[in-house]
Amino acid sequence: MFNIAVFVSGSGSNLQAMIDKQDTLKSKICCIISNKKDAYALIRAKNHNIPSFVVTKKGKAGEQAIIEILEQFDINLIVLAGYLRILSSELINKYRGRIINIHPSLLPKYGGAGFYGLNVHKAVIENNEKISGATVHFVEEGIDTGKIILQKQLEIEEGETPESLQIKILTNIEHNLLVDSIKLLERETL
Ligand code: GAR
């Protein structure tokens, strides 16, 4: 089983979906790390008695603080669930192949610098795309470039707005995709 740390920056609806499906996993959500002290995800963690930590520091000091937490909980899988900060190459190296991220587009489309959250869906609608979706991938040094684990798509309907598309992708795809990806990794690695 994996000892999972979930990294968050905002609402944490993906974290909530993982918590709700924790029973279906062999792995355990051991701790939450946020770079924002007012992230609603921290309240979700508290509601479920999951230890949470806020690390706002950037650079070496921030990475060191994160590594200490990961070591304290013997973490061997890091799940980035709406974590809007780039990881240092030191951290990526240390946990290579053990860091996964969820991204709200059909990567490699709409990935990279500047593509996060609602920005992704705005660009998709502006470009009149007919389909969109979400991707779970391994984290490498490039932004949103690592090997894809799972990807799922849906059709964009007439009159769709960035906000409606965001909700649709979150509820219909994202909230299952992370747990399904972890299950896939459990089957492959355990
Ligand atoms: C999700 O849509 C996730 O895919 C996206 O942020 C949102 C977080 O929602 N991540 C990125 O854009 C990363 N590039 P949540 O806090 O409700 O889980």
Side-chain angles (χ1 to χ4, degrees):
M1 84 163 199
F2 296 115
N3 289 333
I4 300 175
V6 186
F7 285 32
V8 294
S9 298
S11 154
S13 70
N14 275 297
L15 166 68
Q16 187 66 54
M18 290 176 65
I19 293 171
D20 293 344
K21 297 187 177 96
Q22 163 75 78
D23 287 356
T24 71
L25 290 172
K26 294 195 183 87
S27 306
K28 183 179 174 214
I29 302 168
C30 298
C31 66
I32 311 297
I33 297 180
S34 173
N35 65 319
K36 299 267 185 214
K37 63 177 185 318
D38 56 354
Y40 186 69
L42 292 167
I43 295 174
R44 298 184 195 270
K46 193 166 179 234
N47 288 342
H48 295 274
N49 297 315
I50 304 172
S52 63
F53 302 87
V54 177
V55 181
T56 55
K57 276 180 282 188
K58 292 183 177 173
K60 274 254 168 275
E63 290 308 321
Q64 195 45 45
I66 288 175
I67 286 171
E68 275 171 26
I69 298 163
L70 299 178
E71 288 179 346
Q72 179 189 338
F73 288 90
D74 207 10
I75 296 302
N76 52 7
L77 184 67
I78 297 172
V79 175
L80 308 186
Y83 185 66
L84 302 182
R85 189 176 268 185
I86 307 295
L87 299 182
S88 71
S89 48
E90 188 197 358
L91 191 67
I92 293 173
N93 245 326
K94 198 168 161 55
Y95 290 89
R96 194 172 295 282
R98 286 282 177 272
I99 312 176
I100 66 174
N101 177 49
I102 188 155
H103 184 80
S105 79
L106 296 173
L107 290 175
K109 290 185 107 179
Y110 303 101
F115 284 120
Y116 60 88
L118 201 59
N119 292 348
V120 175
H121 307 296
K122 276 187 185 146
V124 166
I125 297 284
E126 270 167 26
N127 289 337
N128 286 314
E129 296 284 359
K130 298 284 171 271
I131 57 167
S132 191
T135 307
V136 175
H137 64 95
F138 286 108
V139 173
E140 292 289 341
E141 276 78 359
I143 304 175
D144 302 324
T145 55
K147 187 178 164 225
I148 290 174
I149 300 166
L150 280 179
Q151 186 169 71
K152 205 169 168 199
Q153 68 182 50
L154 53 67
E155 277 178 27
I156 299 174
E157 286 167 30
E158 277 292 311
E160 200 87 77
T161 64
E163 289 78 8
S164 69
L165 184 60
Q166 181 179 46
I167 291 171
K168 238 183 225 177
I169 290 178
L170 271 169
T171 53
N172 295 338
I173 299 181
E174 292 195 50
H175 293 166
N176 295 315
L177 207 62
L178 263 180
V179 167
D180 288 347
S181 300
I182 294 167
K183 284 182 181 165
L184 195 65
L185 295 181
E186 284 177 344
R187 284 201 294 275
E188 282 178 2
T189 354
L190 302 182

